[in-house]
Amino acid sequence: MASYEAVIGLEVHAHVKTSSKLFCSCPTDFGAQPNEHVCEVCAGMPGALPRLNEKAVELAAKAGLALHCKVNAYSLFARKNYFYPDLPNGYQTSQFSPPICEGGHLDVTVNGDTRRIGITRIHMEDDAGKCVHGQGGVSLVDLNRAGVPLIEIVSEPDIRCAEEAAEFMRQIHAILVYIGATDGNMEEGSLRCDANVSIRPKGEARMGTRSEVKNLNSFRNVQRAIEYEISRQTACLEDGVPVLQETRLFDAVKQMTQAMRSKEDAHDYRYFPNPDLPPVLLSAERLAVWREELPELPAPRIRRFMRDFGLSGEEASALISDKAAADYFEEALAVYRQPRRLIGLMQGEFLRECASRGISPAEAPMPPASLAGLAAIIDKDCISARMAHEIFPELFASGTSPEAFVAERGMVQVSDAGELDAVLDAVFAENPVEVKAYRGGKTKLRSFFVGKIMQKTQGKANPALVNELLLRAFSL
Ligand code: ADP
Ligand code: MG
Ligand code: ZN
């Protein structure tokens, strides 16, 4: 049995975060009534003239800069012709040659192994509308989405496994969110990808025939669909059945891909320059400004969090993959500089609470200073980590300062040795049998005494101090 290797290239489509469409001033808001955001341009009326949205160009160029591409000073819009009921112009306005960005790369790490994946090109294009298939065999067309700006990021066929493809997609997502190019909302379809997959015998330089799995809308589906394709195509080759060049769809319920249509060739689109749109010209000065405006990107931010805050690679990557979480963490650190305590509270309490409420850290009612305050009063032994865990959901929702919160409930931990000694004496007096047994060598009874002391103090005794006092009392 020969051993095969997978060859994978991704085409990632991202909705670009502009307030108006790519060639008209209709809003891009999600969730409007059908056909509420439509004008003669995005409805494809004859004679209506498109005007390019400058912000969309800026965000496409910034995506290119973040992915180490060459941003072209001159690029063109083309008509990509095909017929579809939700495509009122009869063509998609896209970029063919030259596109806005070419020739970049992204370093992707899987299981500690870093590989450089080439970026072939990034181009701008407009989205189509949507067909709604209703009752009685009637189909309706909603053009709210028609004309919404997209960028397409095309990778070289450099990816070698499903996990690497999912990680590539995750990193593209993070980068685009960091630079503000997309809101990254995968449920609303802000980021989708097509996966091109082929198989070849190991050591073979030529690429095999590929299938293209369309419209994958989650990292998990990217991974599953590619895993399925690799095993399907491997089985084909082993059985001597040729792999067909075709477009396939992933069924997330059945966890398999299914043939949709055999692949039309690119020239069928009859690309030609759009006569209604002048070339896109970008000056070196303007590009320099945009480069200057790029924020710190995820990869260097991960390195900085590891270096400056002592986080592990995993902790830093997990935190930074959600920009809002990483920003929150840094704001809390500015108030109380104790990264180990704060990362513990972030992972153990705060992010869990956000996830269970389905909100972003940016929307949390608890401000970063409160998380910092909580870390500080735990470190000062005012409350124990267990008490912090118990009050966390309520504290999170209240938005009040943790100091005020625990004071109001009289929860301040007893860390006063004199006060606790008195409690110890009372517990010893009430349990003479156990005291005798302990002194006789049954030291396992220590947890019994800890329990009694906690009971007497309603859980407010500082556990470390209780242990210390018990050891001291028994060693006398
Ligand atoms: P289109 O899908 O529009 O025909 P391309 O031919 O440029 O566009 O290919 C798109 C994607 O397919 C790119 O990401 C490229 O790396 C990838 N690709 C091309 N050929 C193969 C192949 N034989 N196996 C796997 N991926 C491929
Ligand atoms: Mg394609
Ligand atoms: Zn419009």
Side-chain angles (χ1 to χ4, degrees), residues 265-288:
D265 281 324
H267 61 250
D268 282 349
Y269 291 128
R270 296 190 179 279
Y271 277 103
F272 66 88
N274 190 323
D276 291 337
L277 285 159
V280 182
L281 303 178
L282 293 178
S283 67
E285 292 74 33
R286 183 154 7 177
L287 274 181

Side-chain angles (χ1 to χ4, degrees), residues 48-60:
L49 285 174
R51 276 181 65 187
L52 181 58
N53 182 330
E54 187 177 3
K55 187 71 186 175
V57 177
E58 174 189 329
L59 294 174

Side-chain angles (χ1 to χ4, degrees), residues 282-330:
L282 293 178
S283 67
E285 292 74 33
R286 183 154 7 177
L287 274 181
V289 170
W290 288 343
R291 194 187 288 278
E292 199 55 37
E293 284 172 0
L294 284 182
E296 181 184 32
L297 293 172
R301 196 176 198 194
I302 288 171
R303 289 195 291 272
R304 182 168 62 82
F305 274 33
M306 292 169 68
R307 189 187 60 226
D308 293 359
F309 308 145
L311 301 193
S312 71
E314 266 163 39
E315 286 169 336
S317 314
L319 196 56
I320 277 156
S321 65
D322 180 353
K323 180 173 188 295
D327 290 347
Y328 190 99
F329 179 71
E330 286 213 85

Side-chain angles (χ1 to χ4, degrees), residues 54-97:
E54 187 177 3
K55 187 71 186 175
V57 177
E58 174 189 329
L59 294 174
K62 283 182 171 171
L65 293 172
L67 292 168
H68 312 283
C69 292
K70 167 172 172 268
V71 180
N72 287 322
Y74 170 95
S75 65
L76 285 177
F77 276 100
R79 291 183 178 179
K80 181 180 183 182
N81 298 281
Y82 57 102
F83 175 81
Y84 210 71
D86 58 17
L87 190 71
N89 279 315
Y91 55 83
Q92 181 183 28
T93 306
S94 182
Q95 295 193 294
F96 188 54
S97 184

Side-chain angles (χ1 to χ4, degrees), residues 396-459:
F396 179 96
S398 74
T400 54
S401 87
E403 295 86 350
F405 188 95
V406 300
E408 260 167 43
R409 285 164 183 73
M411 291 188 57
V412 173
Q413 172 164 271
V414 181
S415 295
D416 178 75
E419 198 174 324
L420 283 181
D421 262 334
V423 178
L424 246 71
D425 288 344
V427 168
F428 289 166
E430 285 163 24
N431 302 280
V433 180
E434 284 77 7
V435 172
K436 210 167 159 205
Y438 190 103
R439 291 203 190 276
K442 244 185 131 184
T443 53
K444 275 195 191 145
L445 277 169
R446 181 134 47 91
S447 57
F448 164 82
F449 290 111
V450 173
K452 289 284 173 198
I453 291 161
M454 285 298 176
Q455 225 171 38
K456 264 206 174 349
T457 57
Q458 283 107 46

